[in-house]
Structure formats: C-alpha cells, structure tokens
Amino acid sequence: MHPSRSDSLGRDVHVQLSQLVPEARFLSCSDIFVQKCCDDPHLCQHGDVFVAREGLLGEANDAARIALANGAVAIISETVIPTGGLPQAIVPNADWTYARLCHALAGDPGRRLHVIAITGTSGKTTTAWLTASVLSEAGLSVGIISDLGCVDGSGENVEHGTGEDPAHCALWLQRIADSGCSHVVVEVSSQMLASYTLAGLECDTVVLTNLGNAHHERHGSQEAYRDINGRMLSYLAEDGCLIVNGDDSRLQRFVNQCAKEHPGAGVITAGLHHGDITASPVERSLFGQTYLMHVGGHVVPVAVTPPVISSVRNGLLAAAIGIRERIPLERIARGLEAAGCISGRVERLDRGQEFAVFLDTPSTGHALASTLASLRKLTHGHLLLLADERFAESLGGWEIFTNRSLRWCDDCLIAPSGIISDNDDKSLLAAYARIDRALASLGDGDCVLVLGDVLRSGMPSGGPESSDLGLVDLVDGWLQLSHVPEPVHHRRAA
C-alpha cells in the first residue's frame, strides 16, 4: 500500500517531515517533503519515500538498495544507510514515523472523529461491536475497525481484515470520516501498539478489557507485553476517559499511570463484581442469559443471546462507553440486546439439533479458557471441543492445547485444516469418522464448541486462500443433514 495525499482538486500535497518529526536529522538535504511513502522495498514505486522499518525488514541496507532500485526518492531510517547521495532522514523510531506519515498523508482523519480505542488480552472484538450497537441505538453514526472487518457509516463498504497495517488503518479512518460518521470504534491489538499504528491519533476514550498471560512469543516477556499495553494511554486525549475492567486488579497500574500522565482525564470502572457499573445474574442457560445492570443507583435488565460470562463483562464495558457518551441507560440496554451474537464470538449454530453448538475464534488461551469455563458450568451433559489444527497450533501446540482444554471438556478432537477436500487422504477420512461418531453420540443437555474460521456467505472455512471446506463447514453440513426439518402438510379446505 502506498499512502499518498492530494487536495480536493486532485493536486499532490506534500507532508513536511521536519514538522512531523522535529528530532529528525537530514543528510544530503535540509528536509524531506513526502507525497507518497512505502515500507516494503519490493513494492516501492517511482516517487516513494521509503521508510526502513528494520524490525520488519531485517537488513536495512539491502532493503534500501532494493527500494532505490525501484524508484524511491528518499530514505527514512534509524541509522545511516548508503543512498548514493539521495536524501535521507535519521529518525528515533522508524515504525512510529511510518505510521505517523500514513495518518498525515490521509489528512489526519482521526481528528474529525470521536475515537474509541479498545485493547486488552481478550474481549476486544466483542466489546467493539457491542459498543457500535450501543452508539447506533442512540442515533449516532459510527464506523468500526476490528478483527472481524471494517465498516463505514454507509454500512456498504465492508472489508474483512484488520487495521494492523498503519496505511490500512489510516485509509479506513479516512473512509469512515468521509462517510459522515461522528464516531469510530477501533480494536487495538498489542501488535498495533508495538508498531505504533495509531501514531498521531488522539482518542476520546480508551478501554482496557483485561490483562492476561499472553503473546510472550511476540513481545518477549509478560512485562514487555504489559508495557506495550501501557502505550495505549499515550493516545488518550487530555480531557478523555479511561475505561477499565474493575474485576482485573492488574489494570490498576494503568489507572495510576493515567492519573499521573493525564490528570484531566476521567476514569470509569466496569465489572461483574467491582466497578462503577456492575451486573447481577437473573438467569443463565445455554440458550442465553438475563442480568441486571447497576449504574449509580439505577437498575436495568438486559437479555442477551451469548451464554458466557465474558459476554456480560464486555457488555458492561460497552455500557460504560455509552455512559461516557451520555446515552440513556435504557437505550444502552437496547443496544446491547440488539447486537445479538457477534460473528465467530461464541456464536450459536442452530439447525434444529437437541444439543447446543457454538462457533468461536479465540486469539489467546486466556479467551478460550474463559469460554470453556462458562460452558462447563452450563453444560449438564457432555462438553465436546472440536478445533481446527491451526487454532491448536496457535494456542500452544497440540499437546498443550489438548491438556489445557481437557480441564473443562469431556473430549477434545483436533481436525486437519480443509478436512473436506478432493484429496483422497486416509487421515482426513479418519478425522471425519471420529467427528461423525462424536456428534452422533450427543443429545439433550450436551454442548459442542467449534474452533474454526467463521462461516461467511458462501465462503469456505478451510482457511485463507483455500477452496477446501473446513471444520465449521463440516459441522454445519452434518447438522443440516442429520436434522432435516419435517415437511409441513396443509389440509385442503372442504
């Protein structure tokens, strides 16, 4: 992607680097005026300013050589690189500079929006979409950037993917602002924080869902992961609001940090047991739950489809955002109920079967453990976990994944990706047979949790770029074939 900028008449507009990064030192020039930039040397085009993000590219010298050969007119890097006399800027942080350039070249669209940023170990996606539902219920025009996709104010421009790439994030902020939205909800991963994807953005509201033991392989250590999550506060506006999960004591460090760095910012806590906003259960089963939401002496009932406890906690965080936006409590409750099931987040799959089936796409073991613990409490019979092998690998590997899952499940089966294909593989047939026997043995009071890619209108769930059918397709097809609706016979009128 090549972030670039032009005015309303289509004329090129340049961004002056020294104004964005005052600490920059310039070689062979007094400044660099950027009209296009690129961070991939192989994708550089004539006129691009190449940003050498060493953490992503490896050897900066080789990357710069390739970029220059492809037409780059200047180099931005953290160290001196041979450029053959072409302009170069030395900056303290190339990742931050690249992200800041992306937003600047897009016209800093975040400044036209009320930005609500949500981060944490788990619950980000659900909280983001619940928040969008609450804001929409109040009549606000809201866009969203999340793992499930990006949506602008028209609701027509939907793109599956995330905002992790700074250029992609800036582009979608621009689309959302241009579509007339007043608010945008941004799901912020730890990788986005590590790569400074939000550089230059000012957030009206920052939400921290929780802080678990996760992403050690990506960030090096738990302490490094916590520090990276702490960067989220650097994007909070001076008069903004920090919203945290009051049940997670590990987040208190960020509340203290906020009070020190942003004395003018407000803080709202929301949790099942501790916070300004709390909840008490009324009834809960595999078919849904009802709870009472308590806010400052006021109580309102909320009935939602997802049965897991995390859904209530995420709903309380979304409610806190609604309170921050001065939305009446009754409308907040209606917005939470209107959201229904979030796609691929403990999403119920009902084809008329006696037992409960849920689809989930957890990104961390922390999220999976929370879901399994909730389902175990609600399942009076057999709890079966079916997982695509890619999820098992990403959540610790087959052995660790299985051992952890069996703390709550009665059985755990791991299926090969693309389990239904034209390939006459005996291992695929054997895996299908195991799943067929497991599903056929279930009845009333049992529950199945399926970890696999989300079903999307005719798209196979065998994984990216796959024409094979995956685990979710298999389970859905099995349920439909095993539970064919009875035909309705109408008696002819006399």
Side-chain angles (χ1 to χ4, degrees):
M1 190 173 291
H2 299 258
S4 60
R5 186 177 180 185
S6 59
D7 61 16
S8 59
L9 297 178
R11 297 172 299 194
D12 291 344
V13 176
H14 295 78
V15 172
Q16 190 173 350
L17 184 61
S18 62
Q19 292 184 352
L20 292 184
V21 191
E23 306 87 353
R25 295 184 295 113
F26 296 94
L27 304 177
S28 303
C29 64
S30 58
D31 207 336
I32 294 178
F33 293 83
V34 184
Q35 197 272 322
K36 298 189 301 176
C37 70
C38 185
D39 67 336
D40 187 332
H42 300 282
L43 297 180
C44 269
Q45 300 173 356
H46 180 72
D48 282 347
V49 172
F50 172 63
V51 184
R53 303 170 65 187
E54 297 183 44
L56 298 178
L57 299 171
E59 179 51 56
N61 285 6
D62 289 342
R65 177 178 50 77
I66 296 171
L68 292 172
N70 285 335
V73 295
I75 300 291
I76 298 174
S77 62
E78 295 179 11
T79 59
V80 177
I81 296 175
T83 65
L86 288 176
Q88 181 179 10
I90 311 301
V91 297
N93 188 312
D95 282 343
W96 186 93
T97 301
Y98 174 70
R100 184 68 192 92
L101 276 172
C102 289
H103 288 282
L105 289 170
D108 284 319
R111 295 178 181 177
R112 294 186 277 153
L113 297 161
H114 293 276
V115 180
I116 300 166
I118 302 173
T119 193
T121 302
S122 60
K124 298 184 295 294
T125 303
T126 301
T127 303
W129 287 87
L130 289 175
T131 298
S133 183
V134 168
L135 297 179
S136 296
E137 182 67 29
L140 299 172
S141 181
V142 57
I144 189 166
I145 298 174
S146 86
D147 275 355
L148 286 185
C150 306
V151 183
D152 63 16
S154 69
E156 298 175 356
N157 291 324
V158 180
E159 179 178 309
H160 297 299
T162 71
E164 290 205 348
D165 176 69
H168 186 266
C169 181
L171 174 63
W172 264 99
L173 285 171
Q174 184 181 40
R175 288 186 186 181
I176 290 169
D178 290 345
S179 69
C181 287
S182 58
H183 292 68
V184 62
V185 183
V186 184
E187 177 184 349
V188 183
S189 67
S190 61
Q191 183 57 43
M192 291 172 70
L193 291 171
S195 57
Y196 301 93
T197 298
L198 304 183
L201 208 61
E202 188 172 75
C203 301
D204 293 274
T205 305
V206 164
V207 182
L208 297 173
T209 61
N210 48 43
L211 189 63
N213 295 319
H215 304 308
H216 294 179
E217 75 291 343
R218 179 175 294 178
H219 304 297
S221 68
Q222 184 62 25
E223 189 59 34
Y225 172 62
R226 291 174 183 171
D227 290 343
I228 285 172
N229 275 271
R231 288 182 188 174
M232 192 69 249
L233 293 179
S234 67
Y235 302 111
L236 182 63
E238 288 303 316
D239 59 348
C241 181
L242 172 66
I243 296 174
V244 299
N245 173 4
D247 293 331
D248 192 339
S249 59
R250 291 167 293 191
L251 297 179
Q252 184 60 44
R253 63 185 289 177
F254 301 118
V255 174
N256 298 337
Q257 181 183 342
C258 180
K260 181 179 180 180
E261 298 177 359
H262 303 276
V267 176
I268 301 176
T269 57
L272 297 174
H273 310 293
H274 307 285
D276 304 309
I277 304 174
T278 58
S280 56
V282 175
E283 63 85 22
R284 189 158 66 98
S285 72
L286 290 172
F287 298 97
Q289 59 184 317
T290 301
Y291 60 91
L292 298 178
M293 185 164 56
H294 304 266
V295 184
H298 300 279
V299 180
V300 61
V302 181
V304 295
T305 303
V308 294
I309 286 292
S310 59
S311 175
V312 179
R313 184 178 296 112
N314 297 333
L316 295 178
L317 292 170
I321 297 170
I323 296 297
R324 155 73 171 162
E325 296 293 331
R326 302 183 182 278
I327 299 173
L329 195 56
E330 292 74 16
R331 283 198 174 186
I332 291 175
R334 288 203 298 268
L336 294 175
E337 293 176 341
C341 283
I342 309 302
S343 179
R345 299 304 190 268
V346 197
E347 178 184 4
R348 188 178 183 87
L349 180 59
D350 191 351
R351 301 302 186 192
Q353 74 276 4
E354 294 179 333
F355 52 92
V357 179
F358 297 96
L359 311 178
D360 200 19
T361 54
S363 58
T364 65
H366 182 274
L368 176 60
S370 175
T371 298
L372 287 175
S374 287
L375 293 179
R376 178 71 278 173
K377 291 181 180 179
L378 299 174
T379 303
H380 304 299
H382 198 82
L383 178 57
L384 170 65
L385 176 64
L386 300 178
D388 184 293
E389 63 181 354
R390 289 183 294 109
F391 280 87
E393 289 294 343
S394 67
L395 297 177
W398 284 40
E399 183 175 356
I400 293 176
F401 175 86
T402 302
N403 291 338
R404 287 177 176 173
S405 300
L406 289 176
R407 292 175 58 188
W408 299 279
C409 299
D410 297 294
D411 201 2
C412 174
L413 299 179
I414 299 175
S417 297
I419 187 171
I420 303 178
S421 70
D422 295 332
N423 184 11
D424 187 17
D425 190 315
K426 291 184 178 180
S427 64
L428 295 181
L429 295 175
Y432 172 80
R434 289 194 298 271
I435 293 172
D436 177 59
R437 288 194 298 269
L439 292 175
S441 68
L442 300 178
D444 187 29
D446 297 329
C447 179
V448 183
L449 180 65
V450 184
L451 308 187
D453 290 311
V454 183
L455 285 168
R456 281 176 182 158
S457 61
M459 296 295 291
S461 68
E465 306 300 327
S466 172
S467 60
D468 296 334
L469 298 178
L471 180 60
V472 173
D473 301 287
L474 169 61
V475 173
D476 186 41
W478 190 96
L479 292 174
Q480 292 188 56
L481 291 174
S482 302
H483 301 85
V484 179
E486 293 290 335
V488 178
H489 300 285
H490 298 282
R491 181 179 298 177
R492 294 181 60 184

